[in-house]
C-alpha cells in the first residue's frame, strides 16, 4: 500500500511540475481543480450510483459472473499483513485522485483544447479502461468504460475536476468497504 501511495504522490508532483514549468500555466486552472456546487455534485453522484447499481442488477440477471473478478482482485489486496488504514487511503482516496488528475485533468484538458469535449471523453475513457487491463473484458466494457465515460461527462459539464474525483473516491471506497465487510 505504501509503495502505491508514494508512486501516486510522485506522479502527481511530476504532473504539477510539467504544468507549472513546461506549460507555464496555473496548475489548478489547467486541471480544473475548483469548487462546484454541492447540489450539482450530489446529483451527479446519485446518477453515478444508480448507474452502477443498474449495471450490477442487469449483469446479475444475465448471469455474467465474470464481474466478480473485480471483487476477487480487491480481496487479493487484503492479507494478514495488510495495513487497512493505508489500504483505505491508497485505494479509496489517493488512487482515484491520482487517476482523475491524470485522465480527467491533465490528459482531458489537453485533448479538449485540441479536439473538444466529446473526443476528450471518449479518448480518456478508452485509455482509462485499457490501463485497467488487470480485469477481464466484461468488467472493462460493462463497468469501467461506462463509468469512465460518465466521469468524463461530469468533468466536461461541470468544468471542474472535483465532482469526478468525489465520484471516483466514492466508488472505490464503497467497493473496498463491501470487500472488507463480506
Amino acid at each position: 500500500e505504501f509503495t502505491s501511495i508514494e508512486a501516486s504522490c510522485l506522479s502527481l508532483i511530476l504532473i504539477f511540475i510539467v504544468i507549472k514549468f513546461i506549460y507555464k500555466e496555473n496548475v489548478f486552472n489547467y486541471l480544473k481543480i475548483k469548487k462546484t456546487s454541492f447540489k450539482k455534485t450530489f446529483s451527479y453522484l446519485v446518477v453515478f450510483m444508480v448507474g452502477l447499481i443498474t449495471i450490477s442488477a442487469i449483469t446479475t440477471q444475465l448471469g455474467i459472473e465474470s464481474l466478480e473478478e473485480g471483487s476477487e482482485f480487491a480481496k487479493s489486496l487484503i492479507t494478514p499483513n495488510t495495513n487497512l488504514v493505508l489500504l483505505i487511503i491508497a485505494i479509496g482516496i489517493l488512487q482515484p485522485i491520482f487517476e482523475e488528475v491524470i485522465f480527467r485533468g491533465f490528459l482531458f484538458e489537453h485533448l479538449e483544447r485540441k479536439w473538444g469535449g466529446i473526443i476528450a471523453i471518449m479518448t480518456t475513457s478508452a485509455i482509462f479502461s485499457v490501463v485497467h487491463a488487470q480485469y477481464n473484458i466484461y468488467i472493462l466494457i460493462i463497468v469501467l468504460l461506462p463509468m469512465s465515460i460518465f466521469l468524463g461527462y461530469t468533468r466536461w459539464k461541470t468544468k471542474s475536476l472535483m465532482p469526478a474525483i468525489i465520484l471516483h473516491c466514492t466508488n472505490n471506497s464503497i467497493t473496498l468497504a463491501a470487500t472488507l465487510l463480506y
Side-chain angles (χ1 to χ4, degrees):
E1 308 87 29
F2 191 68
T3 305
S4 173
I5 293 170
E6 286 178 322
S8 294
C9 290
L10 287 173
S11 298
L12 289 174
I13 290 168
L14 286 173
I15 288 170
F16 295 164
I17 289 170
V18 166
I19 294 168
K20 181 74 178 164
F21 297 107
I22 295 175
Y23 291 6
K24 298 192 183 321
E25 294 199 37
N26 178 290
V27 172
F28 293 100
N29 288 342
Y30 189 88
L31 296 174
K32 301 291 189 263
I33 298 174
K34 58 185 176 182
K35 291 181 193 176
T36 188
S37 78
F38 173 80
K39 183 179 175 183
K40 188 180 287 189
T41 301
F42 186 74
S43 66
Y44 279 103
L45 181 61
V46 168
V47 171
F48 184 70
M49 297 311 294
V50 167
L52 291 176
I53 291 166
T54 303
I55 288 169
S56 180
I58 290 169
T59 56
T60 300
Q61 288 295 321
L62 295 175
I64 302 173
E65 294 176 11
S66 34
L67 292 185
E68 289 300 313
E69 186 181 310
S71 174
E72 295 304 317
F73 176 75
K75 287 178 190 170
S76 75
L77 299 174
I78 303 165
T79 68
N81 298 328
T82 300
N83 181 324
L84 290 179
V85 173
L86 286 180
L87 183 67
I88 291 166
I89 291 169
I91 303 298
I93 301 168
L94 286 179
Q95 199 62 36
I97 291 172
F98 166 72
E99 289 180 349
E100 289 310 310
V101 167
I102 292 284
F103 293 104
R104 259 72 59 186
F106 187 72
L107 184 57
F108 190 100
E109 182 64 18
H110 180 78
L111 294 170
E112 184 181 30
R113 286 180 181 190
K114 279 192 139 193
W115 294 300
I118 301 297
I119 298 293
I121 291 169
M122 299 315 290
T123 304
T124 56
S125 298
I127 295 169
F128 179 85
S129 296
V130 169
V131 167
H132 288 83
Q134 74 265 27
Y135 298 115
N136 68 53
I137 193 74
Y138 293 108
I139 292 174
L140 295 177
I141 292 173
I142 298 171
V143 179
L144 288 176
L145 185 60
M147 179 181 106
S148 185
I149 290 169
F150 189 77
L151 290 170
Y153 178 81
T154 300
R155 155 56 183 83
W156 185 44
K157 284 301 185 183
T158 63
K159 297 180 182 15
S160 173
L161 188 59
M162 296 309 294
I165 288 173
I166 291 167
L167 271 59
H168 198 153
C169 287
T170 301
N171 176 70
N172 282 27
S173 296
I174 288 172
T175 302
L176 188 58
T179 303
L180 290 170
L181 293 173
Y182 300 105

